[in-house]
Structure formats: C-alpha cells, structure tokens
Amino acid sequence: MERWFDMVFDLKRIPVKLVLVFWICAIMLLVLPESTLSYLKLNDFLILYGKYIGITFIFCSALLFAAILTSIIRAIKNRIRKNKIEHSIMENLNRLDSFEKAILREFCLQNKNTISMPSNNSTVVGLENKGIIYQASDLGFANSLGSFFPY
C-alpha cells in the first residue's frame, strides 16, 4: 500500500508544466466573468462540472505548492553543500606546505591544466592523495630521473 502511494504521489514523476496548465485553466473557469464564459460557450460546462473544477484547482494548487517548496529546499541544500565543499577546499589549500604550493603554482605559471610530473615524488603523491590533483593518463614516459605522468 505504501509503495502504491509513493508511486502515485511522487513529485518527480508528475509533469509540473501539465499541472500548471490545469491550474491556469481552472483559475480561468472560476474567475472569468459570466459574459466571457457565455461567449466561450462554457456556461453549461461550468454548471455541470463546476465542483470538479474547484477540486482540480485545489489539487493543482497543492501540487504546485509542494513542487515549489521541494525545489526551494533542494536549492537550499545544494547551496549548503556547495558552501561546505568550498570551505573544505579552502581549508585544504590553507594547510598546504610550501612544496605543495610550489607544484600548484606551476599550473598557473605554465597556464596549463596538465603538467608532467614524477609519479614517485612524495609531494605529488601527497597532493594526489588529498584529491587536489589526479593522474590524467596512464601514458607517461620514463627517463633517468624517474617515471613522469600527466597530472
């Protein structure tokens, strides 16, 4: 029973644009003057189905309110998560030692997104373990100084 309820009232599956169209139509039928309704030949329709139009208006209003509230809550959560991530990144950057800062400075000085660096360097490994840099490719080269990979 609970699963059926979740399937019917899952706001992610209800097309909000369609609900908005029904809501606008219900408002128009409820608010338009009688002269306009008679011009559109909707007087008989409103007499026969007026109570359903009112229910439709209330139901669509509730769905739209829930959708708006859900999107506001989601936006607030995303903003909080983004601020936490930015704060965490700034904390990690402030804790870097001078060798780690020197490696990161090379990215700015060379104006590149990828730089070949020795994979056995402890500072490079430390930055990689902190998640600040990552090995961009498994294809590198080796010389007398060691193995170099793009980071």
Side-chain angles (χ1 to χ4, degrees), residues 54-146:
I55 291 170
T56 302
F57 171 74
I58 292 171
F59 185 72
C60 289
S61 297
L63 282 175
L64 288 174
F65 177 74
I68 290 169
L69 189 65
T70 303
S71 66
I72 289 171
I73 290 171
R74 187 180 312 122
I76 290 171
K77 284 182 179 179
N78 287 342
R79 183 72 174 174
I80 290 170
R81 188 179 315 121
K82 180 182 173 190
N83 287 343
K84 282 183 181 178
I85 290 171
E86 286 177 359
H87 181 71
S88 172
I89 289 172
M90 291 307 295
E91 273 187 10
N92 284 335
L93 288 177
N94 288 332
R95 290 183 190 157
L96 295 178
D97 63 14
S98 59
F99 297 112
E100 292 170 329
K101 288 178 183 177
I103 288 178
L104 293 178
R105 191 178 307 117
E106 284 301 313
F107 286 97
C108 296
L109 292 176
Q110 294 183 24
N111 198 18
K112 292 183 177 179
N113 293 330
T114 338
I115 299 175
S116 291
M117 293 187 280
S119 62
N120 58 354
N121 185 318
S122 61
T123 309
V124 174
V125 172
L127 285 173
E128 189 175 8
N129 288 339
K130 290 179 183 176
I132 296 174
I133 63 172
Y134 64 92
Q135 188 174 336
S137 173
D138 288 334
L139 300 175
F141 64 91
N143 61 17
S144 61
L145 299 174

Side-chain angles (χ1 to χ4, degrees), residues 41-53:
K41 309 287 191 252
L42 292 174
N43 279 338
D44 295 334
F45 179 79
L46 191 59
I47 291 169
L48 288 173
Y49 300 108
K51 57 186 169 191
Y52 301 113
I53 293 170

